[in-house]
Amino acid sequence: MLQRLFSFKGGVKPQTNKSPSVQEAIGFAPLPARLYVPLHQSIGGAANPLVRPGEKVGKGQLIGGADGWMSSAVHAPTSGRVLAVEEHVATHPSGLTTLSVVIEPDGCDEWAERQPIDYRSQPPERVREALRDAGVVGLGGAVFPSHAKLAPAKSVVVQDLVINGAECEPFMTCDDMLMRERAEETVRGIAIFRELLAAQRVLIGIEDNKPEAIAAMRNAVAHLGLDYAVVAVPTRYPAGGAKQLIRVLTGKEVPASRRSTELGVQCFNVATVYTAYRALEFGEPVISRIVTLTGNVAHPRNWDVRIGTPLRDFVALGEPQRDTNAFLMGGPMMGFALPSLDAPVVKATNCIIAGSAGLFPPNPPEMPCIRCGACADVCPHELQPFELYWFSRARIFGKTQEYHIFDCIECGCCSYVCPSHIPLVQYFRFAKSEIWAREREKKAADAAKARFELRNAREEREKEEKAERLAKAAAAKAAERKTVVAQTNSDAAGTPRALEPQDTPPATGEAADSAGALDAEALKKATIQAAMERARAQRAGQAARNTDRLTPEQAKEIAAVDARRARQASSASAPPAPPERSSDSAGSGD
């Protein structure tokens, strides 16, 4: 049954330049003297290093563990010895460095222990974990961790599983050659993904300029007795974009703010399903990939290259011409110029193009925008690139967001057709980076403000707690002082000990004032008595020390003085006698 096709808005038809690199079968690139394996090779978090310098590793051994669910593992591309775990130039237009494992191959290329997974009997969660640990990511260029895309939404049934074999970018033929030579393994990988997603239908989209790949995939589907639809789609860039291919095959328009799974569709690249099949069936993690080497080279071809191979060693296989002046990674529409050939091949490397002045002439001088609207006509997301250009150039980034700049996929169609030769995509990338930088700064400022407020709140709380402790201590000290005063009064008067403060009813009014005055007087007398006792003891001690030097008359005189002072102290500390009662007092008689 013929599959109905739909169309998407916009798009261009640049010269494909695909035929030079498909004249030979896929070759196997030799091992270099050094492998530089970056630990960050997915759109998620960077893997954690699991090896140390001097350690021996086997082919396929885990050298970088996945950091959480949105990450992917990294493995040794061959057997050898770890020389270092250090920063090395990244395969990125910035030319910055990234943490990498440097391996010296031993030439044996011996596999470490491989552990195939019986995915037919394992629960889906275990299969997805195995794909994560095998380092399976999207090999179409986005390197999104595949296991995360294989978790179906609970509320939406996956109706269509779309397999992307369109490969619309000029010069690029790695997917084309994969489908030609390894079609059956690719189809078996599709079957695994269909089972994990419980998809109702499988649609394999391939541009109609790849008749050999279409025929090979149809033969593989028929040989395995599957009901997959291999559909030839019209050749138009960017038909290989996920949302565009979904639109062409299913007619569903995926909004920019939503994911395709919300509409019951999921999309994967053909190279991704192939590596997933190898990982589960044979226990082979992703340690190599097919890369197109083309452009201004003597021998354009597709190569199966180990991850971590320096690009300098790889491009030498194609024998670049003497007038080569640049190397591009990716296609000419969405790729970027490599700042250094010291960078290694990574999982996102699908094509290396050797450029020259004849192949890629210098860009003409940029001229003013004439607002012709050609860029808006070819935009596949129906944006207004000329408006985005004006606001990006004027640094009015708020307006660019109002015009949905983040819906732009940077396909380059607008720059391709611009009669003023304005590098529109570069302006859009600049605006996006500025917006992201400002958002990061705002988040950092908000976090700093939150920390400041938390610190102030903590200091206020500590002050209140300290004041509360001091108040409690003062109250306890006052209560203890009252207890001491009451005890002193009792001891001085010879009366029983007073009750504890908590057992004595509180005094009020004049009674409280009288009690306070008596307490002060008693405390004063007790202090005087204690001082006299200390002086008497001191004199007694001194007298004892001088006994041998006193005459009997002096000793008798000192004893008399001490006795007299004792009688005086006793009379001073004795309570006053009660006044004599008058005969006409209110209490006399009955």
Side-chain angles (χ1 to χ4, degrees):
M1 184 178 69
L2 293 176
Q3 173 68 29
R4 179 187 175 187
L5 297 180
F6 300 85
S7 180
F8 63 91
K9 180 186 177 299
V12 294
K13 291 186 177 181
Q15 187 175 355
T16 59
N17 293 305
K18 292 179 180 287
S19 59
S21 58
V22 297
Q23 303 303 315
E24 296 183 73
I26 298 173
F28 290 88
L31 284 172
R34 296 285 187 276
L35 289 165
Y36 300 88
V37 186
L39 291 172
H40 192 190
Q41 294 195 56
S42 72
I43 203 172
N48 299 313
L50 302 178
V51 292
R52 297 179 179 179
E55 184 176 342
K56 292 185 177 180
V57 294
K59 181 180 179 180
Q61 179 179 330
L62 184 67
I63 61 175
D67 182 21
W69 183 247
M70 283 301 296
S71 181
S72 185
V74 179
H75 303 78
T78 187
S79 58
R81 183 170 61 94
V82 176
L83 297 180
V85 180
E86 62 185 13
E87 295 288 328
H88 186 75
V89 61
T91 312
H92 191 269
S94 66
L96 297 176
T97 59
T98 185
L99 189 63
S100 306
V101 179
V102 184
I103 299 176
E104 181 183 34
D106 57 10
C108 299
D109 205 31
E110 294 181 353
W111 279 96
E113 182 181 358
R114 287 179 282 181
Q115 297 179 346
I117 300 295
D118 186 6
Y119 54 88
R120 300 172 185 84
S121 61
Q122 295 289 335
E125 293 79 7
R126 177 69 186 92
V127 177
R128 286 191 284 267
E129 290 176 359
L131 292 174
R132 177 197 63 189
D133 296 338
V136 178
V137 296
L139 297 183
V143 289
F144 192 92
S146 299
H147 62 273
K149 293 178 63 176
L150 287 169
K154 297 181 180 180
S155 58
V156 181
V157 176
V158 179
Q159 299 173 347
D160 298 307
L161 171 59
V162 174
I163 303 301
N164 191 344
E167 198 173 43
C168 60
E169 185 81 48
F171 288 91
M172 196 179 301
T173 59
C174 54
D175 290 346
D176 184 3
M177 295 303 297
L178 172 69
M179 291 184 288
R180 291 190 193 190
E181 299 186 14
R182 306 174 187 180
E184 185 170 332
E185 291 178 303
T186 303
V187 173
R188 291 183 184 275
I190 297 173
I192 298 173
F193 279 32
R194 182 185 190 181
E195 184 176 349
L196 289 173
L197 290 170
Q200 300 176 357
R201 184 174 58 163
V202 174
L203 302 173
I204 305 172
I206 307 173
E207 279 192 335
D208 55 13
N209 62 352
K210 305 175 183 60
E212 295 86 353
I214 294 173
M217 292 295 287
R218 284 177 176 170
N219 291 336
V221 168
H223 176 72
L224 296 175
L226 301 172
D227 59 348
Y228 303 164
V230 180
V231 185
V233 301
T235 299
R236 184 170 55 151
Y237 180 86
K243 293 184 177 181
Q244 284 69 43
L245 188 60
I246 290 173
R247 167 66 182 171
V248 170
L249 294 177
T250 68
K252 295 179 180 179
E253 191 81 35
V254 182
S257 59
R258 300 177 63 186
R259 299 174 59 186
S260 61
T261 50
E262 300 177 29
L263 303 181
V265 185
Q266 189 58 282
C267 182
F268 292 92
N269 180 264
V270 289
T272 305
V273 295
Y274 168 77
T275 55
Y277 171 74
R278 298 293 302 185
L280 297 177
E281 186 71 23
F282 301 100
E284 297 178 3
V286 182
I287 59 172
S288 66
R289 67 154 299 149
I290 301 173
V291 182
T292 303
L293 178 58
T294 185
N296 193 41
V297 294
H299 303 289
R301 190 179 184 182
N302 282 275
W303 296 88
D304 196 328
V305 192
R306 303 294 175 93
I307 303 297
T309 300
L311 289 172
R312 192 178 305 279
D313 295 347
F314 174 61
V315 299
L317 298 175
E319 299 181 10
Q321 303 291 346
R322 297 183 63 181
D323 60 340
T324 300
N325 57 13
F327 290 92
L328 278 70
M329 176 173 151
M333 300 296 288
M334 297 185 69
F336 59 87
L338 290 164
S340 171
L341 290 180
D342 294 330
V345 172
V346 293
K347 295 177 183 179
T349 307
N350 46 21
C351 180
I352 300 295
I353 305 175
S356 65
L359 190 61
F360 300 118
N363 293 328
E366 179 181 336
M367 296 184 291
C369 174
I370 60 175
R371 303 182 72 90
C372 63
C375 54
D377 293 337
V378 300
C379 179
H381 279 266
E382 303 185 34
L383 302 177
Q384 298 180 26
F386 57 91
E387 296 286 2
L388 293 173
Y389 160 71
W390 283 111
F391 292 128
S392 298
R393 181 168 181 168
R395 296 175 177 265
I396 308 176
F397 301 121
K399 277 291 187 180
T400 63
Q401 290 179 280
E402 292 180 12
Y403 278 84
H404 310 287
I405 191 170
F406 287 102
D407 292 355
C408 171
I409 61 174
E410 303 176 13
C411 63
C413 291
C414 54
S415 300
Y416 181 79
V417 301
C418 180
S420 297
H421 311 295
I422 301 174
L424 296 169
V425 173
Q426 302 303 324
Y427 281 100
F428 303 158
R429 288 173 178 169
F430 163 73
K432 290 179 181 180
S433 64
E434 286 294 315
I435 293 171
W436 287 329
R438 294 186 180 188
E439 289 181 352
R440 285 194 298 268
E441 291 176 359
K442 184 178 182 300
K443 288 181 179 179
D446 291 343
K449 181 180 178 181
R451 291 194 302 268
F452 176 75
E453 292 176 348
L454 286 174
R455 188 188 68 178
N456 287 347
R458 183 179 67 251
E459 290 178 351
E460 289 295 329
R461 185 175 65 253
E462 291 175 352
K463 288 181 181 178
E464 292 175 358
E465 293 175 352
K466 183 178 180 180
E468 185 178 355
R469 289 195 302 269
L470 291 175
K472 290 181 178 180
K477 190 173 182 179
E480 182 180 358
R481 185 181 297 113
K482 287 184 179 181
T483 303
V484 171
V485 169
Q487 181 179 354
T488 304
N489 290 338
S490 299
D491 294 342
T495 58
R497 183 175 178 178
L499 296 176
E500 295 294 330
Q502 59 269 26
D503 298 331
T504 304
T508 57
E510 296 181 359
D513 295 340
S514 300
L518 290 175
D519 288 347
E521 184 66 23
L523 180 60
K524 181 178 180 181
K525 292 180 178 180
T527 304
I528 294 172
Q529 180 68 23
M532 293 178 65
E533 292 292 338
R534 287 196 301 272
R536 185 183 299 112
Q538 185 176 4
R539 287 195 301 272
Q542 185 65 30
R545 288 192 297 271
N546 298 329
T547 302
D548 296 336
R549 293 178 294 177
L550 294 177
T551 63
E553 290 79 6
Q554 290 175 334
K556 186 181 296 185
E557 184 179 354
I558 291 173
V561 172
D562 289 341
R564 186 171 62 254
R565 288 179 177 176
R567 286 194 302 271
Q568 291 175 353
S570 176
S571 61
S573 61
E580 295 183 359
R581 299 180 62 179
S582 174
S583 57
D584 58 351
S585 64
S588 61
D590 293 330

